[in-house]
Amino acid sequence: MRPSNATLTASGPSDNPPVQERPRRTQHTPPRPLRVRAARSLSSIFMVGPALAAVVAFILIPVVVAGRLSFTDWDGFSDSYKSLGLDNYVQLFHDPGVKNAAYVTLVIAVVGTVACNVLGLGLAVMLNGEGRVKAILRGLFFYPHVLGAVIIGFLWSAILSSEGAINTLLSAAHRSKIPFLSDPHWALASVVFVVIWSTFGVNVVLYLAGLQTIPESLLEAARIDGASRWQTFRQVVLPMLAPTVTINVVLVLVQLLRVYDLVLAMTDGGPAGHTQTYAYLVLSESFLNGKIGYASAQSIVLMIVITVLAIVVVALRQRSEKAVEQ
Amino acid sequence: MGSGSRRHLVKLGALAISAALLTGCSTGTDSAGGGKNIRMLVNITPVLTKQFYKDLVAGYVADHPGVKVTIEAPTGRGIEDTLKQQLAAGSPPDILAGGQNTALAGQMAPLPDAQWVKDSPFAEASKLDGKVWMAGTGVQLQSLVFYNKDAFTKAGVTSTPKTFDEFTAALRKLKSAGYTPMQTGGEWTTGAQALMMANPNVMNTEPQWYAKRNKGSVTFAGSNYAKFLDVYQSWIKDGLVPKDANGIKYQDMINNFTAGKSATMVMGNWLAASLADAKPGFDAGVFPVPTFDGSTPPQAANPAMPYSVLKSSKHTAEAIDLVKYLVSDKKAVTKGLSAEGNFRTGYSYKATPLTNDIAKLLDAAGGKTVAIGPGLGDNSSPAGFPDELNTQVQSMYLGTSADKVAGAMDKWWSANAPK
């Protein structure tokens, strides 16, 4: 039990400054007037209200509606629709297109998440600190994120297509063309590369922000103790960045599980559907093929997968953060 | 929950989903002065620009004070999915300019039983339940082989091929002469070119093939589609088409052809306008796609610049009046036809020699046309057919056999045919 201030004072001087105890509310402390509490509640509602309304309008209602529609054959326009029970969900698990899209999405999400975080963290460590060159490089790495995904897709398809910039240069140098967008493996690799290129800038910024929260005294202490750069990074920097890593991993994972527009602009799902992501499939089934019910079932499954994955990642990260703290 | 309130809930949800996509769209509100605003969602192409449509309706607007026409470009992948998004958001336009998907026909107001509707190309063919819901401005031909006359001369091909055997022999000679024999590509073009070549050979004897496939009385595997896919597979195997076609963009296809690298390119008549713009350093010619028996094929064709009026329009009368202007006013029709090099009996314009040659091909076919892409009216494919075929034909470049593609198409169609 912590001794009281009075005890410390009586026993002599102490290195610790006297702790200012927060005055406890006693019977003599009058309760806040009702109107003050009401005003506080009202201001809270005003502050939370818009965000809450946005969540309800743009997340909750669409999810509920999609959930309802996922059991129907609604085409998007008809005034009526038939209830199909679980048919859409059963069909989904037997659909080879869904399997292919799930595989493509998984590759993009896993490779992209790892690469974006490794690259983001590595570059953030290199670019942390003052200096004009570092500032310029930070801007350069973040720049792709400023461009829209569609612009990025068109840009890279112009660079990577069979008649694109790289292959034109290769042809001019009498070298064989590289089938960036015409071979399924190359096309998927190209999409993954562009996804990483367009995403990791945000991770750099977030890791830079995380690095700046690490107290200089800790780094100084490590240096005094003779720790090498790698040891300092591993034993001090990385543990201190644990919450930032968690945020970055979850953000990138969720973002990459929903990749659509970049694929649309870059490969349009080709060649022969080999770069169709899950989100691309959902959009194709809904707006192009008029299968709103089936697409709703697909999107509900995607939502569940993303939620579960996000929870698992956060749980795993928290466990590792605790392990580091201990 | 009643169907009305369910629909209301669905609309609300769809509105929420689509809101972000549609923030740039006009709300379609009429002007404060009481004027009527007709919103037109138009199909934008390199030739049919937003400005082109603004100029097109200028004459109508000048003659109709109080009516404003707002031209809207697609915000989605194209006109069709933009319309679907707008319908879902409860904010559809008054007029749809382009797109022939019969799945959307239910959203359109029937056009009047008037002579100007009957005179518009493909009006009869697009009838659903006896009602015309779309009026075309002209006819767009899509079964044409554009060719480099200099390359043919250099390769020793003295006459344009009439049969697939002759065509394949010509392609071999062109390859030996150092050309890419036939320019194919990726994106949407792989499947589209296949349809352009196959449909005249399938529908010359079975004009209602799509309708029959919906009923299950014909199949891909048992039709000339399968026969054509065999030929196509042999072209891939023999290097008569680019092996990296899947990675070639549409514009690159045109560039390769106009640069004289490739000797032939199957495409619709709109390519003539691109060729005229590009001014290639060779003499370009055109012939109809070959047939298996050497007969003159019908042209696979579409209504060019078709218009429909949305039944949700608050200004149906004015919208129909505008469509009437667009498909029957001599000046407006001619402007539309000449922009893309399309055709219509009774209308003429100053065309390039190549476009005149195309017109002769239509005359030689006796004006006979067959369906292309999703088809028209009762002779329509299920939604998604061109996309699915595109994917399947692309897979042939990756080693899938013609038999498997035909089988996969039959399986797909059976699963998606209207019940």
mmCIF file of all heavy atoms in Angstrom, chain A residues 130-169:
data_model
loop_
_atom_site.group_PDB
_atom_site.id
_atom_site.type_symbol
_atom_site.label_atom_id
_atom_site.label_comp_id
_atom_site.label_asym_id
_atom_site.label_seq_id
_atom_site.Cartn_x
_atom_site.Cartn_y
_atom_site.Cartn_z
ATOM 1 N N GLU A 130 15.614 14.956 -39.693
ATOM 2 C CA GLU A 130 15.575 16.201 -40.477
ATOM 3 C C GLU A 130 16.354 16.030 -41.782
ATOM 4 O O GLU A 130 17.090 15.071 -41.963
ATOM 5 C CB GLU A 130 16.226 17.333 -39.658
ATOM 6 C CG GLU A 130 15.589 17.553 -38.299
ATOM 7 C CD GLU A 130 14.172 18.094 -38.397
ATOM 8 O OE1 GLU A 130 13.950 18.981 -39.254
ATOM 9 O OE2 GLU A 130 13.296 17.613 -37.656
ATOM 10 N N GLY A 131 16.186 16.988 -42.662
ATOM 11 C CA GLY A 131 16.966 16.982 -43.906
ATOM 12 C C GLY A 131 16.086 17.182 -45.117
ATOM 13 O O GLY A 131 14.986 16.614 -45.175
ATOM 14 N N ARG A 132 16.591 17.993 -46.076
ATOM 15 C CA ARG A 132 15.786 18.308 -47.255
ATOM 16 C C ARG A 132 15.567 17.081 -48.127
ATOM 17 O O ARG A 132 14.472 16.846 -48.629
ATOM 18 C CB ARG A 132 16.500 19.406 -48.059
ATOM 19 C CG ARG A 132 15.621 19.976 -49.143
ATOM 20 C CD ARG A 132 16.277 21.120 -49.863
ATOM 21 N NE ARG A 132 16.400 22.283 -49.015
ATOM 22 C CZ ARG A 132 17.037 23.399 -49.373
ATOM 23 N NH1 ARG A 132 17.613 23.457 -50.545
ATOM 24 N NH2 ARG A 132 17.116 24.438 -48.564
ATOM 25 N N VAL A 133 16.621 16.278 -48.286
ATOM 26 C CA VAL A 133 16.501 15.093 -49.146
ATOM 27 C C VAL A 133 15.456 14.131 -48.575
ATOM 28 O O VAL A 133 14.622 13.585 -49.301
ATOM 29 C CB VAL A 133 17.874 14.380 -49.274
ATOM 30 C CG1 VAL A 133 17.733 13.091 -50.075
ATOM 31 C CG2 VAL A 133 18.884 15.311 -49.926
ATOM 32 N N LYS A 134 15.525 13.974 -47.241
ATOM 33 C CA LYS A 134 14.557 13.069 -46.599
ATOM 34 C C LYS A 134 13.132 13.586 -46.803
ATOM 35 O O LYS A 134 12.207 12.806 -47.056
ATOM 36 C CB LYS A 134 14.865 12.949 -45.104
ATOM 37 C CG LYS A 134 16.076 12.069 -44.822
ATOM 38 C CD LYS A 134 16.315 11.933 -43.339
ATOM 39 C CE LYS A 134 17.494 10.986 -43.086
ATOM 40 N NZ LYS A 134 17.835 10.901 -41.661
ATOM 41 N N ALA A 135 12.970 14.894 -46.697
ATOM 42 C CA ALA A 135 11.634 15.481 -46.871
ATOM 43 C C ALA A 135 11.132 15.250 -48.299
ATOM 44 O O ALA A 135 9.962 14.892 -48.511
ATOM 45 C CB ALA A 135 11.675 16.973 -46.558
ATOM 46 N N ILE A 136 12.028 15.423 -49.259
ATOM 47 C CA ILE A 136 11.636 15.219 -50.666
ATOM 48 C C ILE A 136 11.266 13.750 -50.901
ATOM 49 O O ILE A 136 10.259 13.428 -51.528
ATOM 50 C CB ILE A 136 12.786 15.642 -51.616
ATOM 51 C CG1 ILE A 136 12.947 17.164 -51.563
ATOM 52 C CG2 ILE A 136 12.514 15.182 -53.049
ATOM 53 C CD1 ILE A 136 14.191 17.684 -52.260
ATOM 54 N N LEU A 137 12.104 12.855 -50.343
ATOM 55 C CA LEU A 137 11.831 11.420 -50.532
ATOM 56 C C LEU A 137 10.507 11.011 -49.904
ATOM 57 O O LEU A 137 9.761 10.212 -50.465
ATOM 58 C CB LEU A 137 12.977 10.589 -49.941
ATOM 59 C CG LEU A 137 14.263 10.589 -50.778
ATOM 60 C CD1 LEU A 137 15.382 9.862 -50.051
ATOM 61 C CD2 LEU A 137 14.027 9.955 -52.145
ATOM 62 N N ARG A 138 10.211 11.591 -48.725
ATOM 63 C CA ARG A 138 8.922 11.288 -48.075
ATOM 64 C C ARG A 138 7.773 11.665 -48.999
ATOM 65 O O ARG A 138 6.816 10.918 -49.181
ATOM 66 C CB ARG A 138 8.781 12.084 -46.779
ATOM 67 C CG ARG A 138 9.474 11.445 -45.608
ATOM 68 C CD ARG A 138 9.223 12.286 -44.381
ATOM 69 N NE ARG A 138 10.435 12.443 -43.613
ATOM 70 C CZ ARG A 138 10.648 13.367 -42.688
ATOM 71 N NH1 ARG A 138 9.739 14.270 -42.426
ATOM 72 N NH2 ARG A 138 11.764 13.410 -42.019
ATOM 73 N N GLY A 139 7.887 12.844 -49.596
ATOM 74 C CA GLY A 139 6.854 13.305 -50.534
ATOM 75 C C GLY A 139 6.745 12.381 -51.735
ATOM 76 O O GLY A 139 5.644 12.036 -52.167
ATOM 77 N N LEU A 140 7.891 11.953 -52.242
ATOM 78 C CA LEU A 140 7.905 11.074 -53.420
ATOM 79 C C LEU A 140 7.218 9.739 -53.130
ATOM 80 O O LEU A 140 6.432 9.244 -53.926
ATOM 81 C CB LEU A 140 9.350 10.804 -53.850
ATOM 82 C CG LEU A 140 9.974 11.820 -54.800
ATOM 83 C CD1 LEU A 140 11.409 11.410 -55.120
ATOM 84 C CD2 LEU A 140 9.169 11.917 -56.093
ATOM 85 N N PHE A 141 7.547 9.181 -51.970
ATOM 86 C CA PHE A 141 6.960 7.879 -51.643
ATOM 87 C C PHE A 141 5.459 7.981 -51.384
ATOM 88 O O PHE A 141 4.714 7.039 -51.638
ATOM 89 C CB PHE A 141 7.660 7.266 -50.416
ATOM 90 C CG PHE A 141 9.060 6.807 -50.720
ATOM 91 C CD1 PHE A 141 10.116 7.163 -49.903
ATOM 92 C CD2 PHE A 141 9.323 6.021 -51.827
ATOM 93 C CE1 PHE A 141 11.409 6.747 -50.184
ATOM 94 C CE2 PHE A 141 10.613 5.601 -52.121
ATOM 95 C CZ PHE A 141 11.663 5.968 -51.303
ATOM 96 N N PHE A 142 5.026 9.132 -50.881
ATOM 97 C CA PHE A 142 3.602 9.288 -50.579
ATOM 98 C C PHE A 142 2.802 9.642 -51.831
ATOM 99 O O PHE A 142 1.608 9.395 -51.897
ATOM 100 C CB PHE A 142 3.406 10.379 -49.516
ATOM 101 C CG PHE A 142 1.991 10.468 -49.015
ATOM 102 C CD1 PHE A 142 1.464 9.481 -48.198
ATOM 103 C CD2 PHE A 142 1.178 11.523 -49.372
ATOM 104 C CE1 PHE A 142 0.155 9.545 -47.747
ATOM 105 C CE2 PHE A 142 -0.135 11.605 -48.926
ATOM 106 C CZ PHE A 142 -0.646 10.612 -48.108
ATOM 107 N N TYR A 143 3.504 10.181 -52.831
ATOM 108 C CA TYR A 143 2.813 10.708 -54.019
ATOM 109 C C TYR A 143 1.842 9.724 -54.688
ATOM 110 O O TYR A 143 0.724 10.106 -55.038
ATOM 111 C CB TYR A 143 3.848 11.221 -55.026
ATOM 112 C CG TYR A 143 3.209 11.809 -56.248
ATOM 113 C CD1 TYR A 143 2.478 12.995 -56.160
ATOM 114 C CD2 TYR A 143 3.306 11.179 -57.483
ATOM 115 C CE1 TYR A 143 1.866 13.533 -57.273
ATOM 116 C CE2 TYR A 143 2.700 11.714 -58.600
ATOM 117 C CZ TYR A 143 1.985 12.887 -58.495
ATOM 118 O OH TYR A 143 1.373 13.407 -59.602
ATOM 119 N N PRO A 144 2.251 8.441 -54.896
ATOM 120 C CA PRO A 144 1.302 7.527 -55.563
ATOM 121 C C PRO A 144 -0.049 7.456 -54.863
ATOM 122 O O PRO A 144 -1.069 7.251 -55.515
ATOM 123 C CB PRO A 144 2.012 6.165 -55.494
ATOM 124 C CG PRO A 144 3.441 6.498 -55.355
ATOM 125 C CD PRO A 144 3.517 7.772 -54.571
ATOM 126 N N HIS A 145 -0.036 7.648 -53.537
ATOM 127 C CA HIS A 145 -1.294 7.545 -52.803
ATOM 128 C C HIS A 145 -2.217 8.716 -53.120
ATOM 129 O O HIS A 145 -3.432 8.621 -52.944
ATOM 130 C CB HIS A 145 -1.002 7.501 -51.298
ATOM 131 C CG HIS A 145 -2.197 7.071 -50.504
ATOM 132 N ND1 HIS A 145 -2.652 5.769 -50.497
ATOM 133 C CD2 HIS A 145 -3.040 7.767 -49.726
ATOM 134 C CE1 HIS A 145 -3.725 5.695 -49.742
ATOM 135 N NE2 HIS A 145 -3.985 6.887 -49.263
ATOM 136 N N VAL A 146 -1.637 9.811 -53.572
ATOM 137 C CA VAL A 146 -2.451 10.984 -53.904
ATOM 138 C C VAL A 146 -3.227 10.733 -55.204
ATOM 139 O O VAL A 146 -4.343 11.195 -55.382
ATOM 140 C CB VAL A 146 -1.538 12.230 -54.059
ATOM 141 C CG1 VAL A 146 -2.341 13.444 -54.482
ATOM 142 C CG2 VAL A 146 -0.794 12.493 -52.761
ATOM 143 N N LEU A 147 -2.615 9.966 -56.113
ATOM 144 C CA LEU A 147 -3.280 9.666 -57.384
ATOM 145 C C LEU A 147 -4.446 8.712 -57.150
ATOM 146 O O LEU A 147 -4.407 7.867 -56.268
ATOM 147 C CB LEU A 147 -2.293 8.996 -58.352
ATOM 148 C CG LEU A 147 -1.054 9.792 -58.741
ATOM 149 C CD1 LEU A 147 -0.110 8.903 -59.535
ATOM 150 C CD2 LEU A 147 -1.445 11.001 -59.567
ATOM 151 N N GLY A 148 -5.464 8.833 -57.966
ATOM 152 C CA GLY A 148 -6.587 7.915 -57.867
ATOM 153 C C GLY A 148 -6.187 6.545 -58.378
ATOM 154 O O GLY A 148 -5.306 6.426 -59.233
ATOM 155 N N ALA A 149 -6.863 5.515 -57.860
ATOM 156 C CA ALA A 149 -6.526 4.142 -58.263
ATOM 157 C C ALA A 149 -6.719 3.941 -59.761
ATOM 158 O O ALA A 149 -5.950 3.220 -60.407
ATOM 159 C CB ALA A 149 -7.383 3.157 -57.484
ATOM 160 N N VAL A 150 -7.743 4.570 -60.321
ATOM 161 C CA VAL A 150 -8.012 4.397 -61.749
ATOM 162 C C VAL A 150 -6.871 4.997 -62.570
ATOM 163 O O VAL A 150 -6.402 4.403 -63.549
ATOM 164 C CB VAL A 150 -9.362 5.050 -62.127
ATOM 165 C CG1 VAL A 150 -9.580 5.007 -63.625
ATOM 166 C CG2 VAL A 150 -10.505 4.333 -61.420
ATOM 167 N N ILE A 151 -6.406 6.174 -62.137
ATOM 168 C CA ILE A 151 -5.291 6.816 -62.852
ATOM 169 C C ILE A 151 -4.056 5.928 -62.774
ATOM 170 O O ILE A 151 -3.355 5.711 -63.770
ATOM 171 C CB ILE A 151 -5.004 8.207 -62.254
ATOM 172 C CG1 ILE A 151 -6.202 9.124 -62.504
ATOM 173 C CG2 ILE A 151 -3.733 8.816 -62.838
ATOM 174 C CD1 ILE A 151 -6.159 10.428 -61.779
ATOM 175 N N ILE A 152 -3.804 5.410 -61.586
ATOM 176 C CA ILE A 152 -2.649 4.521 -61.411
ATOM 177 C C ILE A 152 -2.767 3.297 -62.323
ATOM 178 O O ILE A 152 -1.810 2.893 -62.983
ATOM 179 C CB ILE A 152 -2.535 4.076 -59.934
ATOM 180 C CG1 ILE A 152 -2.119 5.266 -59.074
ATOM 181 C CG2 ILE A 152 -1.534 2.935 -59.777
ATOM 182 C CD1 ILE A 152 -2.191 5.004 -57.593
ATOM 183 N N GLY A 153 -3.959 2.739 -62.379
ATOM 184 C CA GLY A 153 -4.181 1.558 -63.216
ATOM 185 C C GLY A 153 -3.887 1.845 -64.676
ATOM 186 O O GLY A 153 -3.184 1.086 -65.349
ATOM 187 N N PHE A 154 -4.436 2.943 -65.176
ATOM 188 C CA PHE A 154 -4.209 3.289 -66.592
ATOM 189 C C PHE A 154 -2.728 3.590 -66.849
ATOM 190 O O PHE A 154 -2.170 3.212 -67.872
ATOM 191 C CB PHE A 154 -5.080 4.477 -67.003
ATOM 192 C CG PHE A 154 -6.512 4.098 -67.245
ATOM 193 C CD1 PHE A 154 -7.553 4.799 -66.665
ATOM 194 C CD2 PHE A 154 -6.832 3.020 -68.065
ATOM 195 C CE1 PHE A 154 -8.878 4.430 -66.882
ATOM 196 C CE2 PHE A 154 -8.155 2.643 -68.292
ATOM 197 C CZ PHE A 154 -9.172 3.360 -67.697
ATOM 198 N N LEU A 155 -2.136 4.284 -65.888
ATOM 199 C CA LEU A 155 -0.723 4.655 -66.025
ATOM 200 C C LEU A 155 0.150 3.400 -66.164
ATOM 201 O O LEU A 155 0.948 3.270 -67.095
ATOM 202 C CB LEU A 155 -0.302 5.464 -64.795
ATOM 203 C CG LEU A 155 1.141 5.894 -64.700
ATOM 204 C CD1 LEU A 155 1.388 7.049 -65.640
ATOM 205 C CD2 LEU A 155 1.490 6.323 -63.277
ATOM 206 N N TRP A 156 -0.054 2.466 -65.251
ATOM 207 C CA TRP A 156 0.773 1.264 -65.265
ATOM 208 C C TRP A 156 0.425 0.325 -66.412
ATOM 209 O O TRP A 156 1.287 -0.404 -66.912
ATOM 210 C CB TRP A 156 0.699 0.536 -63.920
ATOM 211 C CG TRP A 156 1.638 1.151 -62.942
ATOM 212 C CD1 TRP A 156 1.330 2.043 -61.954
ATOM 213 C CD2 TRP A 156 3.064 0.976 -62.887
ATOM 214 N NE1 TRP A 156 2.467 2.423 -61.292
ATOM 215 C CE2 TRP A 156 3.545 1.787 -61.840
ATOM 216 C CE3 TRP A 156 3.975 0.224 -63.618
ATOM 217 C CZ2 TRP A 156 4.896 1.850 -61.499
ATOM 218 C CZ3 TRP A 156 5.319 0.281 -63.294
ATOM 219 C CH2 TRP A 156 5.765 1.095 -62.245
ATOM 220 N N SER A 157 -0.837 0.332 -66.836
ATOM 221 C CA SER A 157 -1.158 -0.522 -67.988
ATOM 222 C C SER A 157 -0.485 0.035 -69.238
ATOM 223 O O SER A 157 -0.086 -0.718 -70.125
ATOM 224 C CB SER A 157 -2.669 -0.669 -68.181
ATOM 225 O OG SER A 157 -3.219 0.510 -68.679
ATOM 226 N N ALA A 158 -0.346 1.366 -69.295
ATOM 227 C CA ALA A 158 0.362 1.964 -70.437
ATOM 228 C C ALA A 158 1.856 1.627 -70.387
ATOM 229 O O ALA A 158 2.514 1.532 -71.417
ATOM 230 C CB ALA A 158 0.165 3.472 -70.438
ATOM 231 N N ILE A 159 2.356 1.435 -69.189
ATOM 232 C CA ILE A 159 3.778 1.097 -69.051
ATOM 233 C C ILE A 159 4.016 -0.397 -69.307
ATOM 234 O O ILE A 159 4.993 -0.781 -69.931
ATOM 235 C CB ILE A 159 4.275 1.479 -67.633
ATOM 236 C CG1 ILE A 159 4.218 3.006 -67.450
ATOM 237 C CG2 ILE A 159 5.701 0.969 -67.380
ATOM 238 C CD1 ILE A 159 4.459 3.469 -66.022
ATOM 239 N N LEU A 160 3.084 -1.228 -68.828
ATOM 240 C CA LEU A 160 3.335 -2.677 -68.823
ATOM 241 C C LEU A 160 2.689 -3.469 -69.958
ATOM 242 O O LEU A 160 2.987 -4.651 -70.125
ATOM 243 C CB LEU A 160 2.856 -3.276 -67.488
ATOM 244 C CG LEU A 160 3.512 -2.745 -66.212
ATOM 245 C CD1 LEU A 160 2.852 -3.350 -64.982
ATOM 246 C CD2 LEU A 160 5.000 -3.056 -66.203
ATOM 247 N N SER A 161 1.794 -2.848 -70.725
ATOM 248 C CA SER A 161 1.093 -3.628 -71.751
ATOM 249 C C SER A 161 2.085 -4.130 -72.811
ATOM 250 O O SER A 161 3.241 -3.705 -72.848
ATOM 251 C CB SER A 161 0.005 -2.782 -72.413
ATOM 252 O OG SER A 161 0.598 -1.771 -73.187
ATOM 253 N N SER A 162 1.605 -5.012 -73.658
ATOM 254 C CA SER A 162 2.499 -5.620 -74.660
ATOM 255 C C SER A 162 3.148 -4.577 -75.563
ATOM 256 O O SER A 162 4.236 -4.779 -76.074
ATOM 257 C CB SER A 162 1.706 -6.606 -75.515
ATOM 258 O OG SER A 162 1.288 -7.664 -74.715
ATOM 259 N N GLU A 163 2.409 -3.480 -75.808
ATOM 260 C CA GLU A 163 2.958 -2.408 -76.642
ATOM 261 C C GLU A 163 3.325 -1.209 -75.759
ATOM 262 O O GLU A 163 3.439 -0.084 -76.251
ATOM 263 C CB GLU A 163 1.928 -1.968 -77.695
ATOM 264 C CG GLU A 163 1.329 -3.103 -78.499
ATOM 265 C CD GLU A 163 2.314 -3.723 -79.459
ATOM 266 O OE1 GLU A 163 3.280 -3.040 -79.833
ATOM 267 O OE2 GLU A 163 2.133 -4.902 -79.812
ATOM 268 N N GLY A 164 3.451 -1.446 -74.474
ATOM 269 C CA GLY A 164 3.709 -0.353 -73.528
ATOM 270 C C GLY A 164 5.160 0.091 -73.514
ATOM 271 O O GLY A 164 6.010 -0.400 -74.283
ATOM 272 N N ALA A 165 5.433 1.034 -72.601
ATOM 273 C CA ALA A 165 6.747 1.687 -72.589
ATOM 274 C C ALA A 165 7.890 0.690 -72.410
ATOM 275 O O ALA A 165 8.873 0.723 -73.164
ATOM 276 C CB ALA A 165 6.763 2.723 -71.471
ATOM 277 N N ILE A 166 7.763 -0.211 -71.446
ATOM 278 C CA ILE A 166 8.874 -1.132 -71.163
ATOM 279 C C ILE A 166 9.109 -2.077 -72.333
ATOM 280 O O ILE A 166 10.241 -2.265 -72.795
ATOM 281 C CB ILE A 166 8.618 -1.923 -69.860
ATOM 282 C CG1 ILE A 166 8.631 -0.962 -68.667
ATOM 283 C CG2 ILE A 166 9.669 -3.020 -69.675
ATOM 284 C CD1 ILE A 166 8.327 -1.610 -67.340
ATOM 285 N N ASN A 167 8.026 -2.669 -72.841
ATOM 286 C CA ASN A 167 8.197 -3.617 -73.945
ATOM 287 C C ASN A 167 8.649 -2.933 -75.231
ATOM 288 O O ASN A 167 9.348 -3.544 -76.052
ATOM 289 C CB ASN A 167 6.903 -4.407 -74.173
ATOM 290 C CG ASN A 167 6.788 -5.550 -73.178
ATOM 291 O OD1 ASN A 167 7.776 -6.221 -72.875
ATOM 292 N ND2 ASN A 167 5.601 -5.757 -72.633
ATOM 293 N N THR A 168 8.273 -1.677 -75.406
ATOM 294 C CA THR A 168 8.753 -0.947 -76.581
ATOM 295 C C THR A 168 10.266 -0.759 -76.491
ATOM 296 O O THR A 168 10.988 -0.937 -77.483
ATOM 297 C CB THR A 168 8.045 0.422 -76.673
ATOM 298 O OG1 THR A 168 6.640 0.189 -76.711
ATOM 299 C CG2 THR A 168 8.459 1.183 -77.921
ATOM 300 N N LEU A 169 10.726 -0.436 -75.288
ATOM 301 C CA LEU A 169 12.173 -0.270 -75.080
ATOM 302 C C LEU A 169 12.900 -1.600 -75.288
ATOM 303 O O LEU A 169 13.954 -1.655 -75.926
ATOM 304 C CB LEU A 169 12.455 0.257 -73.665
ATOM 305 C CG LEU A 169 12.101 1.720 -73.408
ATOM 306 C CD1 LEU A 169 12.273 2.071 -71.941
ATOM 307 C CD2 LEU A 169 13.000 2.630 -74.263
#
